[in-house]
């Protein structure tokens, strides 16, 4: 089941739009990161460090993981494609819905994909049938925690069962934790400690979301399997992480105050938004990330766009029908504008019996 890959954040086709379709930190790139990028321009006439040594050292300190177990890429997507090319799996298992790049990368190497549809009736929470679907013919599993676009978070016990099942059948697990820093107590959910126990395991992270660095492109992965990392480096482009991106990453890791303050604000704004959406009788699923996944009337994306606001229509995800949407959590004045716009649109539709049936 292949659908067109559409992403949020398309400000280029929609200039001047208020963008709720991309899930980046709404408080913008830290000042220290911007200054580091400007300073790095003097080095940009040279090739970047192909080994990203300074950045990997900084990440090793931050993540408390050995430097040799870290690989950097041109965003998380670069690493996803690098894994697919290095491993060349013949058959892979994915949740549906989940992040589109997994499917795209797997199909680029001719991989057959098995989907495990998540149940709307069970609030899109993964069940044991996903674990049971990991059998001897599955070469690779991608799992996003919290999941995108639903924001659903599973606990360590569930993830350890996945790891055990993967180990049993020599299946490689790619665990995407790109949104884990936005949840409460991320240290209680990250599987980083299992890197030493399981070699068939790759942990994916990025600077994109929490530091609002989407345009700089910087992601990284953690893995204890030396062969996997060497094979990835053999198939990925050299110099894939620019001088500017490497310096931006090093600077970002120093932004402790920015991170704490903005993550706290995002949590407050999310609760405010959820309260307003529920008052409008929009069904919100229990997302734990910095975005809200909800069900609403058909055509809501187009109506919002006409009012200068972009939201994410999720109908292009496998096994999701029309009427599912995702919105990022932004700053209060922007969230207020979104709520006012949704109230205006929904009040127009209140007397429409077709819309009532859709809900």
């Amino acid at each position: 089941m292949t659908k067109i890959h559409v992403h949020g954040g398309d400000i280029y086709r929609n200039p001047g739009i208020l963008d709720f379709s991309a899930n980046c930190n709404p408080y913008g790139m830290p000042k220290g990161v911007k200054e580091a990028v400007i300073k790095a321009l003097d080095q940009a006439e040279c090739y970047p460090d192909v080994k990203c040594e300074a950045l990997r050292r900084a990440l090793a300190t931050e993540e408390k993981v050995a430097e040799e177990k870290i690989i950097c890429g041109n965003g998380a997507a670069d690493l996803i494609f690098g894994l697919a090319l290095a491993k060349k799996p013949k058959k892979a298992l994915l949740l549906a819905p989940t992040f589109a790049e997994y499917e795209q990368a797997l199909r680029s190497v001719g991989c057959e994909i098995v989907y495990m549809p998540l149940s709307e009736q069970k609030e899109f929470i993964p069940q044991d049938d996903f674990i049971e679907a990991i059998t001897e013919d599955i070469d690779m599993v991608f799992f996003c925690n919290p999941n995108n676009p639903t924001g659903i978070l599973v606990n360590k016990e569930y993830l350890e069962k996945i790891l055990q099942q993967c180990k049993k059948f020599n299946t490689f697990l790619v665990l995407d934790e790109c949104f884990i820093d936005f949840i409460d107590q991320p240290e209680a959910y990250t599987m980083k400690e299992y890197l030493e126990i399981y070699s068939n395991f790759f942990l994916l992270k990025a600077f994109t979301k929490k530091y609002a660095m989407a345009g700089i492109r910087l992601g990284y992965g953690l893995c204890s399997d030396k062969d996997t990392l060497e094979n990835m480096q053999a198939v990925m482009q050299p110099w894939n992480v620019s001088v500017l991106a490497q310096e931006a990453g090093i600077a970002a890791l120093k932004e402790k105050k920015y991170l704490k303050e903005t993550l706290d604000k995002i949590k407050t704004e999310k609760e405010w938004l959820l309260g307003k959406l529920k008052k409008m009788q929009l069904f919100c699923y229990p997302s734990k990330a910095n975005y809200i996944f909800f069900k609403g009337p058909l055509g809501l994306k187009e109506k919002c766009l006409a009012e200068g606001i972009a939201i994410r229509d999720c109908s292009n995800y496998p096994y999701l029908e029309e009427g599912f949407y995702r919105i990022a959590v932004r700053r209060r004045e922007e969230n207020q504008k979104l709520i006012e716009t949704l109230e205006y649109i929904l009040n127009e539709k209140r007397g429409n019996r077709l819309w009532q049936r859709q809900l």
Side-chain angles (χ1 to χ4, degrees):
M1 175 180 282
T2 304
K3 293 192 177 184
I4 297 172
H5 295 291
V6 179
H7 299 281
D10 189 2
I11 61 169
Y12 305 99
R13 256 59 60 185
N14 300 287
I17 206 79
L18 179 52
D19 188 15
F20 280 82
S21 68
N23 306 314
C24 295
N25 192 319
Y27 296 95
M29 195 183 302
K31 181 181 178 182
V33 174
K34 292 181 180 180
E35 291 173 347
V37 170
I38 293 169
K39 186 177 179 181
L41 286 171
D42 291 335
Q43 304 173 46
E45 62 190 28
C46 303
Y47 284 104
D49 177 7
V50 72
K51 295 182 178 180
C52 300
E53 283 187 346
L55 175 57
R56 286 169 52 237
R57 276 198 302 272
L59 282 167
T61 301
E62 175 72 16
E63 296 286 2
K64 298 179 176 59
V65 172
E67 186 180 335
E68 62 269 18
K69 293 176 176 139
I70 302 172
I71 185 171
C72 299
N74 183 29
D78 185 32
L79 296 166
I80 292 168
F81 277 80
L83 274 164
L85 191 56
K87 291 287 186 181
K88 288 190 172 63
K90 294 180 180 178
K91 194 173 185 178
L93 176 67
L94 300 180
L95 291 171
T98 197
F99 189 50
E101 258 76 2
Y102 311 149
E103 176 191 342
Q104 192 176 4
L106 291 166
R107 292 198 183 281
S108 73
V109 295
C111 181
E112 177 187 351
I113 297 173
V114 177
Y115 298 95
M116 178 55 65
L118 295 168
S119 169
E120 180 183 352
Q121 288 69 37
K122 295 178 180 177
E123 297 186 316
F124 297 97
I125 298 170
Q127 306 294 314
D128 286 344
D129 56 358
F130 181 80
I131 300 171
E132 293 163 2
I134 303 170
T135 52
E136 60 184 5
D137 62 334
I138 299 294
D139 302 309
M140 182 173 280
V141 172
F142 277 88
F143 195 95
C144 189
N145 196 45
N147 194 21
N148 183 9
T150 63
I152 298 299
L153 180 72
V154 300
N155 58 31
K156 281 186 175 181
E157 181 182 2
Y158 184 89
L159 291 170
E160 189 169 10
K161 288 179 181 178
I162 293 178
L163 277 167
Q164 290 169 351
Q165 190 81 342
C166 286
K167 184 177 182 180
K168 178 181 177 181
F169 294 113
N170 196 30
T171 300
F172 195 84
L173 173 65
V174 184
L175 179 61
D176 186 340
E177 290 190 353
C178 285
F179 287 101
I180 203 165
D181 293 296
F182 292 99
I183 70 171
D184 291 325
Q185 298 181 317
E187 64 280 357
Y189 290 88
T190 181
M191 297 295 284
K192 190 166 49 178
E193 65 195 80
Y194 290 83
L195 288 165
E196 295 302 322
I197 304 171
Y198 297 92
S199 60
N200 60 322
F201 175 36
F202 188 96
L203 192 61
L204 185 67
K205 300 196 74 174
F207 287 81
T208 303
K209 311 301 182 182
K210 63 181 179 179
Y211 297 109
M213 287 168 50
I216 289 181
R217 310 306 303 138
L218 183 58
Y220 62 99
L222 312 175
C223 184
S224 63
D225 184 55
K226 183 180 178 182
D227 289 341
T228 293
L229 296 178
E230 288 181 351
N231 290 338
M232 288 178 68
Q233 289 164 346
V235 299
M236 293 169 70
Q237 295 182 48
W239 308 298
N240 58 333
V241 183
S242 72
V243 168
L244 307 185
Q246 291 186 41
E247 292 300 320
I250 294 167
L253 294 173
K254 300 174 184 176
E255 294 285 344
K256 309 297 185 187
K257 182 180 178 183
Y258 158 91
L259 201 56
K260 184 183 185 309
E261 289 179 353
T262 58
L263 293 182
D264 286 346
K265 288 178 183 178
I266 290 168
K267 289 172 186 175
T268 299
E269 288 305 308
K270 182 182 176 184
E271 290 305 312
W272 185 87
L273 261 178
L274 279 169
K276 296 293 185 181
L277 291 171
K278 288 175 181 177
K279 282 184 179 179
M280 285 186 273
Q281 300 177 13
L282 293 170
F283 187 86
C284 300
Y285 294 88
S287 168
K288 300 300 182 183
N290 61 321
Y291 46 86
I292 296 169
F293 181 64
F294 69 97
K295 196 169 187 181
L298 305 187
L300 188 59
K301 173 191 172 181
E302 290 73 22
K303 286 281 188 179
C304 285
L305 205 55
E307 299 297 326
I309 292 179
I311 66 173
R312 180 69 161 90
D313 179 352
C314 296
S315 61
N316 71 302
Y317 283 89
Y319 295 94
L320 272 190
E321 59 187 23
E322 293 184 16
F324 287 98
Y325 304 95
R326 188 195 68 199
I327 55 169
V329 176
R330 297 196 60 83
R331 293 175 292 181
R332 176 59 60 91
E333 61 272 23
E334 296 168 325
N335 294 334
Q336 184 68 53
K337 174 65 175 174
L338 172 67
I339 293 301
E340 290 171 359
T341 299
L342 289 175
E343 286 175 341
Y344 169 73
I345 293 169
L346 297 180
N347 284 336
E348 277 193 328
K349 292 177 173 284
R350 289 296 177 189
N352 186 323
R353 292 181 181 178
L354 175 60
W355 174 75
Q356 291 172 351
R357 287 199 298 271
Q358 289 167 2
L359 290 184

